[in-house]
């Protein structure tokens, strides 16, 4: 029962993360300044998505690759730097750094051999 609940919530979080990413794109297009709302939505969307993805993987396989936690930490660092430096950093730089983190995670995920569960092996 708990696994089914986690499975349902995981997808909701992943969709919510995608929506926040869309909002961040709109904010970056319409605002030239790097204000806290731009920074928080830019890194917040992928963080929400990663939280859902981690929950999904944990409920499905019981294990999550360390790369997802490293990516989440990197996004928190990007967000913290964006908030601290504020207007000194263009909003595009925050966006590019966020895309770089998520792209690196995608590449690492593709290059890492997937472990098969005992029920799907053979």
């Amino acid at each position: 029962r708990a696994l089914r609940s986690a499975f349902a919530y995981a997808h909701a979080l992943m969709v919510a993360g995608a929506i926040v990413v869309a909002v961040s794109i709109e904010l970056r297009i319409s605002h030239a300044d790097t204000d806290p709302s731009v920074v928080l939505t830019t890194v917040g969307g992928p963080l929400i998505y990663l939280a859902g993805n981690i929950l999904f993987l944990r409920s499905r396989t019981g294990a999550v690759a360390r790369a997802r936690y490293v990516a989440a930490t990197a996004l928190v660092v990007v967000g913290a730097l964006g908030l601290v430096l504020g207007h000194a950093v263009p909003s595009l730089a925050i966006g590019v750094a966020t895309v770089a983190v998520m792209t690196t995670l995608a590449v690492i995920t593709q290059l890492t051999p997937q472990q098969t569960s005992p029920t799907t092996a053979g």
Side-chain angles (χ1 to χ4, degrees):
R1 177 188 259 187
L3 290 177
R4 277 184 267 139
S5 294
F7 193 77
Y9 292 129
H11 284 94
L13 283 173
M14 289 188 278
V15 170
I19 291 169
V20 174
V21 167
V23 169
S24 77
I25 292 169
E26 174 63 29
L27 283 174
R28 275 183 276 123
I29 289 172
S30 63
H31 293 83
D33 295 333
T34 304
D35 58 9
S37 64
V38 171
V39 174
L40 292 175
T41 56
T42 300
V43 298
L47 278 172
I48 294 169
Y49 172 82
L50 275 176
N53 187 252
I54 289 168
L55 186 60
F56 170 76
L57 291 172
R58 187 165 294 250
S59 69
R60 197 183 93 198
T61 64
V64 178
R66 188 177 327 163
R68 282 176 170 58
Y69 296 113
V70 172
T73 302
L75 288 171
V76 169
V77 169
V78 167
L81 287 174
L83 290 173
V84 169
L85 298 177
H87 298 294
V89 177
S91 64
L92 182 62
I94 303 295
V96 168
T98 301
V99 169
V101 169
M102 295 306 287
T103 301
T104 302
L105 175 61
V107 169
I108 289 169
T109 300
Q110 286 300 310
L111 295 177
T112 303
Q114 302 296 319
Q115 296 179 357
T116 57
S117 65
T119 58
T120 60

